[in-house]
């Protein structure tokens, strides 16, 4: 891929560029969608007990990383950190 289009994420409070990300071409998006559909099917066939455990593990990781996550969300959205925490991380 040559000269990909770039999306810049900007902190709405400061105007600072937080990241520059390549915009995927439509063929890459189609491929990702197909892979996601396959993964969804596999996940659906996975025993409930295993899925529940994985989701609880994910919840614990999110709680462990809540300070970094609330900071990142605040930078991206302009929300105060307490609002990022209460509305996005621990609803």
């Amino acid at each position: 891929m040559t000269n990909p289009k770039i999306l810049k994420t900007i902190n709405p409070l400061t105007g600072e560029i937080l990241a520059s990300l390549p915009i995927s071409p439509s063929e890459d998006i189609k491929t990702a969608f197909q892979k996601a559909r396959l993964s969804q099917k596999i996940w659906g066939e996975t025993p409930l007990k295993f899925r529940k455990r994985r989701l609880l593990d994910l919840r614990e990781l999110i709680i462990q990383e809540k300070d970094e996550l609330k900071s990142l969300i605040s930078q991206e959205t302009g929300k105060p950190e307490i609002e990022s925490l209460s509305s996005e991380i621990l609803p």
Side-chain angles (χ1 to χ4, degrees):
M1 179 165 55
T2 0
N3 296 327
K5 293 182 181 179
I6 300 294
L7 171 70
K8 294 180 180 178
T9 59
I10 298 173
N11 181 324
L13 184 62
T14 66
E16 172 191 9
I17 295 174
L18 299 173
S20 297
L21 308 162
I23 298 174
S24 298
S26 58
E27 194 54 45
D28 288 354
I29 294 168
K30 287 177 188 173
T31 300
F33 183 79
Q34 291 167 346
K35 289 179 179 182
R37 281 288 188 205
L38 177 59
S39 296
Q40 182 183 30
K41 183 179 185 323
I42 294 167
W43 180 253
E45 294 170 354
T46 302
L48 179 60
K49 187 174 182 176
F50 179 85
R51 290 186 285 159
K52 179 182 175 184
R53 182 72 254 154
R54 295 290 74 80
L55 291 172
L56 289 172
D57 290 346
L58 177 59
R59 177 182 178 269
E60 286 304 313
L61 286 172
I62 290 169
I63 290 170
Q64 286 174 17
E65 301 297 330
K66 70 182 181 305
D67 291 334
E68 183 175 355
L69 290 169
K70 74 178 179 184
S71 176
L72 290 170
I73 292 167
S74 292
Q75 290 175 37
E76 289 181 345
T77 64
K79 291 181 180 182
E81 285 191 358
I82 190 69
E83 186 179 342
S84 295
L85 179 64
S86 63
S87 68
E88 304 289 339
I89 301 170
L90 304 174

